[in-house]
PDB file of all heavy atoms in Angstrom:
ATOM      1  N   TYR A  17       0.792  -1.226   0.000  1.00 94.00           N
ATOM      2  CA  TYR A  17       0.000   0.000   0.000  1.00 94.00           C
ATOM      3  C   TYR A  17       0.833   1.288   0.000  1.00 94.00           C
ATOM      4  O   TYR A  17       0.297   2.368  -0.244  1.00 94.00           O
ATOM      5  CB  TYR A  17      -0.956   0.009   1.193  1.00 94.00           C
ATOM      6  CG  TYR A  17      -2.274   0.660   0.853  1.00 94.00           C
ATOM      7  CD1 TYR A  17      -3.253  -0.043   0.164  1.00 94.00           C
ATOM      8  CD2 TYR A  17      -2.540   1.973   1.181  1.00 94.00           C
ATOM      9  CE1 TYR A  17      -4.455   0.551  -0.184  1.00 94.00           C
ATOM     10  CE2 TYR A  17      -3.741   2.583   0.837  1.00 94.00           C
ATOM     11  CZ  TYR A  17      -4.689   1.868   0.157  1.00 94.00           C
ATOM     12  OH  TYR A  17      -5.880   2.464  -0.199  1.00 94.00           O
ATOM     13  N   LEU A  18       2.119   1.203   0.265  1.00 91.00           N
ATOM     14  CA  LEU A  18       2.933   2.410   0.371  1.00 91.00           C
ATOM     15  C   LEU A  18       2.910   3.248  -0.902  1.00 91.00           C
ATOM     16  O   LEU A  18       2.966   4.474  -0.850  1.00 91.00           O
ATOM     17  CB  LEU A  18       4.378   2.045   0.721  1.00 91.00           C
ATOM     18  CG  LEU A  18       4.657   1.629   2.174  1.00 91.00           C
ATOM     19  CD1 LEU A  18       6.114   1.244   2.332  1.00 91.00           C
ATOM     20  CD2 LEU A  18       4.300   2.753   3.138  1.00 91.00           C
ATOM     21  N   ASN A  19       2.848   2.603  -2.070  1.00 92.00           N
ATOM     22  CA  ASN A  19       2.920   3.357  -3.326  1.00 92.00           C
ATOM     23  C   ASN A  19       1.568   3.898  -3.773  1.00 92.00           C
ATOM     24  O   ASN A  19       1.465   4.462  -4.866  1.00 92.00           O
ATOM     25  CB  ASN A  19       3.530   2.505  -4.433  1.00 92.00           C
ATOM     26  CG  ASN A  19       2.682   1.287  -4.774  1.00 92.00           C
ATOM     27  OD1 ASN A  19       1.680   1.001  -4.114  1.00 92.00           O
ATOM     28  ND2 ASN A  19       3.074   0.553  -5.816  1.00 92.00           N
ATOM     29  N   LYS A  20       0.523   3.737  -2.966  1.00 94.00           N
ATOM     30  CA  LYS A  20      -0.788   4.249  -3.362  1.00 94.00           C
ATOM     31  C   LYS A  20      -0.844   5.768  -3.357  1.00 94.00           C
ATOM     32  O   LYS A  20      -1.814   6.346  -3.862  1.00 94.00           O
ATOM     33  CB  LYS A  20      -1.888   3.679  -2.459  1.00 94.00           C
ATOM     34  CG  LYS A  20      -2.027   2.165  -2.523  1.00 94.00           C
ATOM     35  CD  LYS A  20      -2.284   1.670  -3.936  1.00 94.00           C
ATOM     36  CE  LYS A  20      -2.391   0.152  -3.977  1.00 94.00           C
ATOM     37  NZ  LYS A  20      -2.551  -0.363  -5.366  1.00 94.00           N
ATOM     38  N   ASP A  21       0.179   6.421  -2.840  1.00 93.00           N
ATOM     39  CA  ASP A  21       0.218   7.874  -2.921  1.00 93.00           C
ATOM     40  C   ASP A  21       0.301   8.341  -4.369  1.00 93.00           C
ATOM     41  O   ASP A  21      -0.051   9.480  -4.688  1.00 93.00           O
ATOM     42  CB  ASP A  21       1.373   8.450  -2.096  1.00 93.00           C
ATOM     43  CG  ASP A  21       2.742   7.935  -2.556  1.00 93.00           C
ATOM     44  OD1 ASP A  21       2.812   6.988  -3.380  1.00 93.00           O
ATOM     45  OD2 ASP A  21       3.762   8.475  -2.078  1.00 93.00           O
ATOM     46  N   GLU A  22       0.745   7.436  -5.270  1.00 94.00           N
ATOM     47  CA  GLU A  22       0.816   7.766  -6.686  1.00 94.00           C
ATOM     48  C   GLU A  22      -0.568   8.013  -7.293  1.00 94.00           C
ATOM     49  O   GLU A  22      -0.684   8.641  -8.349  1.00 94.00           O
ATOM     50  CB  GLU A  22       1.533   6.648  -7.440  1.00 94.00           C
ATOM     51  CG  GLU A  22       2.980   6.438  -7.004  1.00 94.00           C
ATOM     52  CD  GLU A  22       3.614   5.227  -7.639  1.00 94.00           C
ATOM     53  OE1 GLU A  22       2.906   4.518  -8.398  1.00 94.00           O
ATOM     54  OE2 GLU A  22       4.799   4.942  -7.351  1.00 94.00           O
ATOM     55  N   LEU A  23      -1.612   7.505  -6.638  1.00 95.00           N
ATOM     56  CA  LEU A  23      -2.973   7.734  -7.113  1.00 95.00           C
ATOM     57  C   LEU A  23      -3.414   9.172  -6.893  1.00 95.00           C
ATOM     58  O   LEU A  23      -4.380   9.621  -7.510  1.00 95.00           O
ATOM     59  CB  LEU A  23      -3.947   6.787  -6.401  1.00 95.00           C
ATOM     60  CG  LEU A  23      -3.781   5.288  -6.667  1.00 95.00           C
ATOM     61  CD1 LEU A  23      -4.698   4.491  -5.750  1.00 95.00           C
ATOM     62  CD2 LEU A  23      -4.084   4.973  -8.123  1.00 95.00           C
ATOM     63  N   TYR A  24      -2.712   9.855  -5.998  1.00 96.00           N
ATOM     64  CA  TYR A  24      -3.111  11.214  -5.628  1.00 96.00           C
ATOM     65  C   TYR A  24      -1.913  12.156  -5.735  1.00 96.00           C
ATOM     66  O   TYR A  24      -1.405  12.650  -4.721  1.00 96.00           O
ATOM     67  CB  TYR A  24      -3.704  11.214  -4.217  1.00 96.00           C
ATOM     68  CG  TYR A  24      -4.876  10.264  -4.092  1.00 96.00           C
ATOM     69  CD1 TYR A  24      -4.712   8.981  -3.584  1.00 96.00           C
ATOM     70  CD2 TYR A  24      -6.136  10.648  -4.528  1.00 96.00           C
ATOM     71  CE1 TYR A  24      -5.779   8.096  -3.515  1.00 96.00           C
ATOM     72  CE2 TYR A  24      -7.215   9.776  -4.451  1.00 96.00           C
ATOM     73  CZ  TYR A  24      -7.031   8.497  -3.943  1.00 96.00           C
ATOM     74  OH  TYR A  24      -8.104   7.628  -3.868  1.00 96.00           O
ATOM     75  N   PRO A  25      -1.416  12.387  -6.941  1.00 94.00           N
ATOM     76  CA  PRO A  25      -0.237  13.241  -7.125  1.00 94.00           C
ATOM     77  C   PRO A  25      -0.484  14.647  -6.605  1.00 94.00           C
ATOM     78  O   PRO A  25      -1.551  15.231  -6.798  1.00 94.00           O
ATOM     79  CB  PRO A  25      -0.033  13.235  -8.647  1.00 94.00           C
ATOM     80  CG  PRO A  25      -1.367  12.858  -9.221  1.00 94.00           C
ATOM     81  CD  PRO A  25      -1.973  11.917  -8.231  1.00 94.00           C
ATOM     82  N   GLY A  26       0.499  15.158  -5.913  1.00 91.00           N
ATOM     83  CA  GLY A  26       0.398  16.504  -5.360  1.00 91.00           C
ATOM     84  C   GLY A  26      -0.227  16.570  -3.985  1.00 91.00           C
ATOM     85  O   GLY A  26      -0.210  17.626  -3.345  1.00 91.00           O
ATOM     86  N   THR A  27      -0.781  15.456  -3.514  1.00 91.00           N
ATOM     87  CA  THR A  27      -1.408  15.442  -2.192  1.00 91.00           C
ATOM     88  C   THR A  27      -0.340  15.326  -1.112  1.00 91.00           C
ATOM     89  O   THR A  27       0.494  14.420  -1.145  1.00 91.00           O
ATOM     90  CB  THR A  27      -2.406  14.276  -2.055  1.00 91.00           C
ATOM     91  OG1 THR A  27      -3.417  14.418  -3.053  1.00 91.00           O
ATOM     92  CG2 THR A  27      -3.052  14.269  -0.682  1.00 91.00           C
ATOM     93  N   ARG A  28      -0.367  16.226  -0.171  1.00 89.00           N
ATOM     94  CA  ARG A  28       0.571  16.181   0.947  1.00 89.00           C
ATOM     95  C   ARG A  28      -0.104  15.747   2.244  1.00 89.00           C
ATOM     96  O   ARG A  28       0.517  15.098   3.085  1.00 89.00           O
ATOM     97  CB  ARG A  28       1.227  17.545   1.140  1.00 89.00           C
ATOM     98  CG  ARG A  28       2.133  17.968  -0.024  1.00 89.00           C
ATOM     99  CD  ARG A  28       2.857  19.264   0.279  1.00 89.00           C
ATOM    100  NE  ARG A  28       3.775  19.634  -0.792  1.00 89.00           N
ATOM    101  CZ  ARG A  28       4.552  20.711  -0.764  1.00 89.00           C
ATOM    102  NH1 ARG A  28       4.506  21.525   0.302  1.00 89.00           N
ATOM    103  NH2 ARG A  28       5.352  20.977  -1.781  1.00 89.00           N
ATOM    104  N   ASP A  29      -1.342  16.114   2.388  1.00 93.00           N
ATOM    105  CA  ASP A  29      -2.089  15.788   3.601  1.00 93.00           C
ATOM    106  C   ASP A  29      -3.112  14.697   3.282  1.00 93.00           C
ATOM    107  O   ASP A  29      -4.088  14.940   2.595  1.00 93.00           O
ATOM    108  CB  ASP A  29      -2.790  17.028   4.151  1.00 93.00           C
ATOM    109  CG  ASP A  29      -3.490  16.756   5.485  1.00 93.00           C
ATOM    110  OD1 ASP A  29      -3.309  15.634   6.034  1.00 93.00           O
ATOM    111  OD2 ASP A  29      -4.207  17.645   5.981  1.00 93.00           O
ATOM    112  N   PHE A  30      -2.865  13.489   3.786  1.00 96.00           N
ATOM    113  CA  PHE A  30      -3.765  12.378   3.530  1.00 96.00           C
ATOM    114  C   PHE A  30      -4.741  12.151   4.689  1.00 96.00           C
ATOM    115  O   PHE A  30      -5.419  11.135   4.725  1.00 96.00           O
ATOM    116  CB  PHE A  30      -2.956  11.092   3.282  1.00 96.00           C
ATOM    117  CG  PHE A  30      -2.371  11.006   1.896  1.00 96.00           C
ATOM    118  CD1 PHE A  30      -1.153  11.590   1.604  1.00 96.00           C
ATOM    119  CD2 PHE A  30      -3.044  10.341   0.883  1.00 96.00           C
ATOM    120  CE1 PHE A  30      -0.604  11.514   0.339  1.00 96.00           C
ATOM    121  CE2 PHE A  30      -2.503  10.256  -0.386  1.00 96.00           C
ATOM    122  CZ  PHE A  30      -1.276  10.846  -0.667  1.00 96.00           C
ATOM    123  N   ARG A  31      -4.799  13.067   5.626  1.00 97.00           N
ATOM    124  CA  ARG A  31      -5.719  12.930   6.742  1.00 97.00           C
ATOM    125  C   ARG A  31      -7.165  13.082   6.270  1.00 97.00           C
ATOM    126  O   ARG A  31      -7.515  14.050   5.591  1.00 97.00           O
ATOM    127  CB  ARG A  31      -5.447  13.967   7.828  1.00 97.00           C
ATOM    128  CG  ARG A  31      -4.140  13.796   8.571  1.00 97.00           C
ATOM    129  CD  ARG A  31      -3.996  14.924   9.595  1.00 97.00           C
ATOM    130  NE  ARG A  31      -5.084  14.892  10.568  1.00 97.00           N
ATOM    131  CZ  ARG A  31      -5.042  14.240  11.726  1.00 97.00           C
ATOM    132  NH1 ARG A  31      -3.938  13.594  12.060  1.00 97.00           N
ATOM    133  NH2 ARG A  31      -6.067  14.269  12.561  1.00 97.00           N
ATOM    134  N   MET A  32      -7.998  12.139   6.661  1.00 98.00           N
ATOM    135  CA  MET A  32      -9.420  12.273   6.378  1.00 98.00           C
ATOM    136  C   MET A  32      -9.995  13.411   7.199  1.00 98.00           C
ATOM    137  O   MET A  32      -9.748  13.524   8.398  1.00 98.00           O
ATOM    138  CB  MET A  32     -10.154  10.967   6.712  1.00 98.00           C
ATOM    139  CG  MET A  32     -11.659  11.005   6.459  1.00 98.00           C
ATOM    140  SD  MET A  32     -12.480   9.432   6.836  1.00 98.00           S
ATOM    141  CE  MET A  32     -11.905   8.451   5.435  1.00 98.00           C
ATOM    142  N   SER A  33     -10.768  14.260   6.559  1.00 98.00           N
ATOM    143  CA  SER A  33     -11.378  15.377   7.266  1.00 98.00           C
ATOM    144  C   SER A  33     -12.493  14.885   8.181  1.00 98.00           C
ATOM    145  O   SER A  33     -13.116  13.845   7.929  1.00 98.00           O
ATOM    146  CB  SER A  33     -11.941  16.390   6.273  1.00 98.00           C
ATOM    147  OG  SER A  33     -13.079  15.858   5.598  1.00 98.00           O
ATOM    148  N   TYR A  34     -12.763  15.632   9.235  1.00 98.00           N
ATOM    149  CA  TYR A  34     -13.864  15.287  10.132  1.00 98.00           C
ATOM    150  C   TYR A  34     -15.201  15.362   9.405  1.00 98.00           C
ATOM    151  O   TYR A  34     -16.131  14.600   9.695  1.00 98.00           O
ATOM    152  CB  TYR A  34     -13.863  16.212  11.346  1.00 98.00           C
ATOM    153  CG  TYR A  34     -12.821  15.858  12.388  1.00 98.00           C
ATOM    154  CD1 TYR A  34     -12.188  16.846  13.122  1.00 98.00           C
ATOM    155  CD2 TYR A  34     -12.475  14.540  12.643  1.00 98.00           C
ATOM    156  CE1 TYR A  34     -11.228  16.533  14.075  1.00 98.00           C
ATOM    157  CE2 TYR A  34     -11.524  14.205  13.590  1.00 98.00           C
ATOM    158  CZ  TYR A  34     -10.909  15.206  14.294  1.00 98.00           C
ATOM    159  OH  TYR A  34      -9.959  14.890  15.242  1.00 98.00           O
ATOM    160  N   GLU A  35     -15.301  16.274   8.460  1.00 98.00           N
ATOM    161  CA  GLU A  35     -16.543  16.391   7.682  1.00 98.00           C
ATOM    162  C   GLU A  35     -16.808  15.121   6.890  1.00 98.00           C
ATOM    163  O   GLU A  35     -17.931  14.602   6.861  1.00 98.00           O
ATOM    164  CB  GLU A  35     -16.443  17.608   6.757  1.00 98.00           C
ATOM    165  CG  GLU A  35     -17.628  17.794   5.813  1.00 98.00           C
ATOM    166  CD  GLU A  35     -17.409  17.160   4.452  1.00 98.00           C
ATOM    167  OE1 GLU A  35     -16.238  17.077   4.005  1.00 98.00           O
ATOM    168  OE2 GLU A  35     -18.416  16.709   3.839  1.00 98.00           O
ATOM    169  N   LEU A  36     -15.761  14.590   6.220  1.00 98.00           N
ATOM    170  CA  LEU A  36     -15.924  13.364   5.454  1.00 98.00           C
ATOM    171  C   LEU A  36     -16.152  12.172   6.384  1.00 98.00           C
ATOM    172  O   LEU A  36     -16.956  11.285   6.086  1.00 98.00           O
ATOM    173  CB  LEU A  36     -14.703  13.112   4.572  1.00 98.00           C
ATOM    174  CG  LEU A  36     -14.757  11.835   3.719  1.00 98.00           C
ATOM    175  CD1 LEU A  36     -15.942  11.879   2.760  1.00 98.00           C
ATOM    176  CD2 LEU A  36     -13.454  11.630   2.959  1.00 98.00           C
ATOM    177  N   LEU A  37     -15.440  12.136   7.505  1.00 98.00           N
ATOM    178  CA  LEU A  37     -15.637  11.071   8.485  1.00 98.00           C
ATOM    179  C   LEU A  37     -17.095  11.007   8.925  1.00 98.00           C
ATOM    180  O   LEU A  37     -17.679   9.923   9.015  1.00 98.00           O
ATOM    181  CB  LEU A  37     -14.734  11.287   9.697  1.00 98.00           C
ATOM    182  CG  LEU A  37     -14.909  10.307  10.862  1.00 98.00           C
ATOM    183  CD1 LEU A  37     -14.555   8.883  10.441  1.00 98.00           C
ATOM    184  CD2 LEU A  37     -14.060  10.739  12.058  1.00 98.00           C
ATOM    185  N   GLU A  38     -17.691  12.174   9.177  1.00 98.00           N
ATOM    186  CA  GLU A  38     -19.096  12.206   9.601  1.00 98.00           C
ATOM    187  C   GLU A  38     -20.020  11.710   8.488  1.00 98.00           C
ATOM    188  O   GLU A  38     -20.940  10.933   8.748  1.00 98.00           O
ATOM    189  CB  GLU A  38     -19.486  13.621  10.033  1.00 98.00           C
ATOM    190  CG  GLU A  38     -20.938  13.737  10.485  1.00 98.00           C
ATOM    191  CD  GLU A  38     -21.255  14.997  11.240  1.00 98.00           C
ATOM    192  OE1 GLU A  38     -20.337  15.833  11.420  1.00 98.00           O
ATOM    193  OE2 GLU A  38     -22.411  15.159  11.702  1.00 98.00           O
ATOM    194  N   GLU A  39     -19.757  12.146   7.266  1.00 98.00           N
ATOM    195  CA  GLU A  39     -20.604  11.717   6.147  1.00 98.00           C
ATOM    196  C   GLU A  39     -20.506  10.212   5.925  1.00 98.00           C
ATOM    197  O   GLU A  39     -21.512   9.538   5.702  1.00 98.00           O
ATOM    198  CB  GLU A  39     -20.216  12.472   4.877  1.00 98.00           C
ATOM    199  CG  GLU A  39     -21.031  12.104   3.644  1.00 98.00           C
ATOM    200  CD  GLU A  39     -22.506  12.415   3.798  1.00 98.00           C
ATOM    201  OE1 GLU A  39     -22.879  13.235   4.673  1.00 98.00           O
ATOM    202  OE2 GLU A  39     -23.308  11.816   3.044  1.00 98.00           O
ATOM    203  N   PHE A  40     -19.297   9.685   5.984  1.00 98.00           N
ATOM    204  CA  PHE A  40     -19.124   8.242   5.828  1.00 98.00           C
ATOM    205  C   PHE A  40     -19.841   7.477   6.938  1.00 98.00           C
ATOM    206  O   PHE A  40     -20.543   6.500   6.681  1.00 98.00           O
ATOM    207  CB  PHE A  40     -17.646   7.866   5.820  1.00 98.00           C
ATOM    208  CG  PHE A  40     -17.422   6.387   6.002  1.00 98.00           C
ATOM    209  CD1 PHE A  40     -17.711   5.500   4.984  1.00 98.00           C
ATOM    210  CD2 PHE A  40     -16.969   5.882   7.219  1.00 98.00           C
ATOM    211  CE1 PHE A  40     -17.532   4.132   5.156  1.00 98.00           C
ATOM    212  CE2 PHE A  40     -16.791   4.511   7.397  1.00 98.00           C
ATOM    213  CZ  PHE A  40     -17.071   3.640   6.364  1.00 98.00           C
ATOM    214  N   THR A  41     -19.643   7.899   8.175  1.00 98.00           N
ATOM    215  CA  THR A  41     -20.249   7.205   9.302  1.00 98.00           C
ATOM    216  C   THR A  41     -21.769   7.183   9.181  1.00 98.00           C
ATOM    217  O   THR A  41     -22.413   6.154   9.399  1.00 98.00           O
ATOM    218  CB  THR A  41     -19.837   7.859  10.633  1.00 98.00           C
ATOM    219  OG1 THR A  41     -18.407   7.931  10.716  1.00 98.00           O
ATOM    220  CG2 THR A  41     -20.370   7.078  11.817  1.00 98.00           C
ATOM    221  N   ARG A  42     -22.331   8.316   8.809  1.00 98.00           N
ATOM    222  CA  ARG A  42     -23.789   8.400   8.644  1.00 98.00           C
ATOM    223  C   ARG A  42     -24.287   7.430   7.585  1.00 98.00           C
ATOM    224  O   ARG A  42     -25.211   6.656   7.815  1.00 98.00           O
ATOM    225  CB  ARG A  42     -24.189   9.834   8.283  1.00 98.00           C
ATOM    226  CG  ARG A  42     -25.698  10.042   8.143  1.00 98.00           C
ATOM    227  CD  ARG A  42     -26.028  11.424   7.597  1.00 98.00           C
ATOM    228  NE  ARG A  42     -25.575  11.600   6.216  1.00 98.00           N
ATOM    229  CZ  ARG A  42     -26.227  11.135   5.158  1.00 98.00           C
ATOM    230  NH1 ARG A  42     -27.352  10.449   5.306  1.00 98.00           N
ATOM    231  NH2 ARG A  42     -25.741  11.352   3.941  1.00 98.00           N
ATOM    232  N   GLN A  43     -23.648   7.463   6.417  1.00 97.00           N
ATOM    233  CA  GLN A  43     -24.099   6.602   5.324  1.00 97.00           C
ATOM    234  C   GLN A  43     -23.848   5.123   5.625  1.00 97.00           C
ATOM    235  O   GLN A  43     -24.697   4.273   5.340  1.00 97.00           O
ATOM    236  CB  GLN A  43     -23.384   6.988   4.021  1.00 97.00           C
ATOM    237  CG  GLN A  43     -23.806   8.322   3.432  1.00 97.00           C
ATOM    238  CD  GLN A  43     -23.384   8.440   1.981  1.00 97.00           C
ATOM    239  OE1 GLN A  43     -23.523   7.504   1.185  1.00 97.00           O
ATOM    240  NE2 GLN A  43     -22.844   9.600   1.626  1.00 97.00           N
ATOM    241  N   TYR A  44     -22.703   4.840   6.176  1.00 97.00           N
ATOM    242  CA  TYR A  44     -22.336   3.444   6.437  1.00 97.00           C
ATOM    243  C   TYR A  44     -23.338   2.795   7.394  1.00 97.00           C
ATOM    244  O   TYR A  44     -23.759   1.651   7.182  1.00 97.00           O
ATOM    245  CB  TYR A  44     -20.932   3.385   7.022  1.00 97.00           C
ATOM    246  CG  TYR A  44     -20.327   1.991   7.078  1.00 97.00           C
ATOM    247  CD1 TYR A  44     -20.157   1.239   5.921  1.00 97.00           C
ATOM    248  CD2 TYR A  44     -19.907   1.448   8.284  1.00 97.00           C
ATOM    249  CE1 TYR A  44     -19.584  -0.028   5.975  1.00 97.00           C
ATOM    250  CE2 TYR A  44     -19.327   0.190   8.345  1.00 97.00           C
ATOM    251  CZ  TYR A  44     -19.178  -0.546   7.194  1.00 97.00           C
ATOM    252  OH  TYR A  44     -18.613  -1.807   7.250  1.00 97.00           O
ATOM    253  N   ILE A  45     -23.727   3.502   8.418  1.00 97.00           N
ATOM    254  CA  ILE A  45     -24.719   2.981   9.355  1.00 97.00           C
ATOM    255  C   ILE A  45     -26.096   2.924   8.697  1.00 97.00           C
ATOM    256  O   ILE A  45     -26.836   1.942   8.839  1.00 97.00           O
ATOM    257  CB  ILE A  45     -24.755   3.845  10.631  1.00 97.00           C
ATOM    258  CG1 ILE A  45     -23.444   3.675  11.419  1.00 97.00           C
ATOM    259  CG2 ILE A  45     -25.956   3.480  11.506  1.00 97.00           C
ATOM    260  CD1 ILE A  45     -23.308   4.602  12.609  1.00 97.00           C
ATOM    261  N   GLN A  46     -26.440   3.967   7.955  1.00 96.00           N
ATOM    262  CA  GLN A  46     -27.760   4.059   7.333  1.00 96.00           C
ATOM    263  C   GLN A  46     -28.062   2.885   6.414  1.00 96.00           C
ATOM    264  O   GLN A  46     -29.204   2.392   6.381  1.00 96.00           O
ATOM    265  CB  GLN A  46     -27.863   5.360   6.537  1.00 96.00           C
ATOM    266  CG  GLN A  46     -29.186   5.553   5.800  1.00 96.00           C
ATOM    267  CD  GLN A  46     -29.204   6.829   4.962  1.00 96.00           C
ATOM    268  OE1 GLN A  46     -28.260   7.643   5.023  1.00 96.00           O
ATOM    269  NE2 GLN A  46     -30.260   7.014   4.192  1.00 96.00           N
ATOM    270  N   TYR A  47     -27.038   2.403   5.698  1.00 95.00           N
ATOM    271  CA  TYR A  47     -27.276   1.388   4.686  1.00 95.00           C
ATOM    272  C   TYR A  47     -26.955  -0.029   5.139  1.00 95.00           C
ATOM    273  O   TYR A  47     -26.953  -0.959   4.337  1.00 95.00           O
ATOM    274  CB  TYR A  47     -26.496   1.735   3.422  1.00 95.00           C
ATOM    275  CG  TYR A  47     -26.922   3.052   2.810  1.00 95.00           C
ATOM    276  CD1 TYR A  47     -25.993   4.056   2.536  1.00 95.00           C
ATOM    277  CD2 TYR A  47     -28.256   3.306   2.522  1.00 95.00           C
ATOM    278  CE1 TYR A  47     -26.384   5.264   1.978  1.00 95.00           C
ATOM    279  CE2 TYR A  47     -28.662   4.520   1.976  1.00 95.00           C
ATOM    280  CZ  TYR A  47     -27.719   5.495   1.708  1.00 95.00           C
ATOM    281  OH  TYR A  47     -28.112   6.699   1.152  1.00 95.00           O
ATOM    282  N   GLN A  48     -26.672  -0.223   6.403  1.00 94.00           N
ATOM    283  CA  GLN A  48     -26.461  -1.555   6.939  1.00 94.00           C
ATOM    284  C   GLN A  48     -27.785  -2.113   7.458  1.00 94.00           C
ATOM    285  O   GLN A  48     -28.625  -1.365   7.955  1.00 94.00           O
ATOM    286  CB  GLN A  48     -25.435  -1.536   8.075  1.00 94.00           C
ATOM    287  CG  GLN A  48     -24.029  -1.124   7.656  1.00 94.00           C
ATOM    288  CD  GLN A  48     -23.280  -2.214   6.917  1.00 94.00           C
ATOM    289  OE1 GLN A  48     -23.737  -3.350   6.834  1.00 94.00           O
ATOM    290  NE2 GLN A  48     -22.096  -1.880   6.397  1.00 94.00           N
TER     291      GLN A  48
END
């Protein structure tokens, strides 16, 4: 997985945002 940064050229910050974390959590629970 180390070379997967090549999928996102120019990206320096790979931290998931809290906004996206919330959206994912909501949808993931909703559709289970």
Side-chain angles (χ1 to χ4, degrees):
Y17 216 80
L18 285 177
N19 64 354
K20 298 303 179 184
D21 60 350
E22 298 173 358
L23 295 173
Y24 303 97
T27 300
R28 294 185 177 181
D29 185 7
F30 281 86
R31 292 179 61 91
M32 180 179 287
S33 70
Y34 282 145
E35 176 266 330
L36 180 61
L37 175 63
E38 180 165 1
E39 180 62 20
F40 166 73
T41 306
R42 182 188 66 80
Q43 290 197 44
Y44 192 59
I45 292 173
Q46 178 183 354
Y47 298 126
Q48 296 284 352

